[in-house]
Amino acid sequence: MQIELLSSPTKATSQLTKLVTDCKAMAWAVAWATDNPLTRVALDRRDKFRHLVLGTNQFITAPSVIEQFMAHPTFRVQLPDAELFHPKVYCFDMGDHLAVMTGSHNLTGRAFSLNTEASVLMTGPCTDPHLVSFFRFVEKHWRTGSEVNADWLYGYKANHVRSKQLRKEAERWIDVKPSTAKKSLPGVQDMDWTRYLAEVTNDKIHGVDGRLLVLEKAGELLHGCSFADLSETDRKRIAGTRGRVRSKEGELDWGWFGAMGASPSFATTVMGNAEALASAMAAIPAEGGVEYADYERFVERFMAAFDQKLRAGGGIGTGTRLLAMKRPDQFVGLNDANRRGVCAHFGQAVNTTTLDNYWERIIEPMRLSVWWQAKEPSARQEQRIWKCRAAMLDAIHYVPKLSQAKRKPPIQSH
């Protein structure tokens, strides 16, 4: 038997093309296939197939490939809900000898062009038991495969689109950094729901119920209502611009989660350009998931709400305040009292964290954390906290001396 390593995309492509062209018959069992020059070569010579079986796990195999082959009697698929079908076996009967290519190459365009792959090409006599066993392997899995029809393909196409979108998101690298927060507090990947709950309920400054009342009341005001349609007083409540005295209304204190009254340019915009701020907030869905594209639209519209003279009002403090009020399950407001702790929790530098990188630095790592991904609890109080779990990070990282003793205006970097 002769063995040849195929690690060059060019060499692997030329060898497989030649084998398909010159062979008397062939049998393939491949995990995934997409439309590419090699697939089309095989399609043009599909009458040479004794058996062709493709995997459909994770819906990676292109529907167009299945559609082109499915009428041929030698074609079958392994169904997507079965155990993972992952071989890459290409068998060829060359008449006077057998050839088998196996390794990492799927029948995809990337496998034979861009990816780093390695397969071996084995050639030997027709009686070689090792080579014959590969033909038997393909036949065995072809027999357990399924024929497909147009109705099945219709459903497969829908799942293929869905999985393609999910896969694109899953393949992105999210830069999760170790925490640099105080040693007693676990890092972003080390805090489960039980520990998170303990840290949040340990708030001795404001108290959990008071915090939840603010977030829940904000949700009531914004429910089914545009920010611009609210009364001026309610807009100030949501924006945190009522001032230190007026913010306190019995059990409610609208100055919590970031008092923005010290930013006159933001306060002026809340009163005079509410429509623009409403447009920004409308970019964030009222329920369900929030995507980066939604956040991008928010930032673009939010910054556009401020004219040049009031540009300082559009920063991370004011922007994330509005986000946390609308979606406390998705966003935490950054302000003078918590920004050092929150940024340290996610291993980020305080002075360079802005609206432009807030999603990348804070939100994406948070979404990967164990506590944020926890399922909704059944206990009523825990359920309330869970629905506001992003914004409630403020309870863990709030340091009153930073905001009261120094009394700096809210951070307004962009």
Side-chain angles (χ1 to χ4, degrees), residues 113-131:
S113 60
L114 300 175
N115 296 354
T116 299
E117 307 276 0
S119 292
V120 292
L121 175 61
M122 300 171 285
T123 57
C126 296
T127 56
D128 188 309
H130 300 294
L131 295 177

Side-chain angles (χ1 to χ4, degrees), residues 402-414:
L402 186 64
S403 60
Q404 293 176 5
K406 296 185 178 181
R407 293 189 181 180
K408 292 180 180 178
I411 178 173
Q412 299 297 323
S413 58
H414 174 64

Side-chain angles (χ1 to χ4, degrees), residues 26-34 39 42-43 46-56 61-79 85 107 138-139 141-150 152-153 156:
M26 53 190 180
W28 295 2
V30 187
W32 299 313
T34 62
T39 309
L43 183 66
R46 56 186 174 275
D47 289 338
K48 291 185 178 184
F49 276 112
R50 292 177 187 168
H51 306 103
L52 171 60
V53 54
L54 297 179
T56 56
T61 291
S64 60
V65 174
I66 297 174
E67 187 169 21
Q68 292 176 89
F69 277 106
M70 70 180 187
H72 201 272
T74 62
F75 175 71
R76 292 185 181 179
V77 301
Q78 290 288 335
L79 297 177
F85 184 71
L107 188 57
V138 175
E139 181 180 4
H141 289 284
W142 180 85
R143 291 191 182 281
T144 62
S146 300
E147 297 179 7
V148 297
N149 55 33
W152 181 89
L153 183 61
Y156 181 83

